[in-house]
């Protein structure tokens, strides 16, 4: 798997049993023993802040629409 590769899951199953299409994006190209860094993408803001950056207490990282990089 290469950096920037997108994985499409047509029927991702949530803990409540519902399903929806999902995308997972690989953010790195690790060396042999290093782990992959991937993100599960969502379009549902719900109770998430729009403030760009890491919100570790809530378990997400916000990247604004139209931005293709982050610090």
């Amino acid at each position: 798997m290469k950096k920037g590769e997108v994985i499409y899951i047509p029927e991702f199953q949530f803990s409540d049993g519902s399903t929806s299409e999902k995308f997972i994006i690989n953010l790195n190209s690790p060396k042999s023993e290093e782990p992959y860094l991937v993100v599960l993408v969502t379009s549902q803001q719900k109770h998430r802040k729009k403030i760009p950056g890491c919100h570790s207490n809530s378990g997400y990282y916000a990247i604004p629409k139209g931005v293709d990089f982050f610090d």
Side-chain angles (χ1 to χ4, degrees):
M1 188 177 343
K2 296 179 182 177
K3 177 173 64 174
E5 189 170 336
V6 177
I7 300 166
Y8 173 66
I9 303 171
E11 293 189 35
F12 181 86
Q13 186 167 6
F14 297 95
S15 58
D16 67 359
S18 63
T19 60
S20 179
E21 63 179 3
K22 280 290 177 184
F23 295 91
I24 296 175
I25 303 172
N26 181 35
L27 299 179
N28 68 341
S29 294
K31 297 186 174 137
S32 61
E33 298 295 320
E34 296 175 338
Y36 284 96
L37 176 60
V38 298
V39 292
L40 182 64
V41 179
T42 185
S43 61
Q44 304 298 315
Q45 184 178 343
K46 294 187 182 177
H47 303 290
R48 297 175 183 98
K49 300 174 185 175
K50 289 185 177 181
I51 302 167
C54 182
H55 302 278
S56 59
N57 290 340
S58 300
Y60 70 96
Y61 192 101
I63 302 172
K65 183 178 179 178
V67 173
D68 60 358
F69 67 92
F70 56 94
D71 295 332

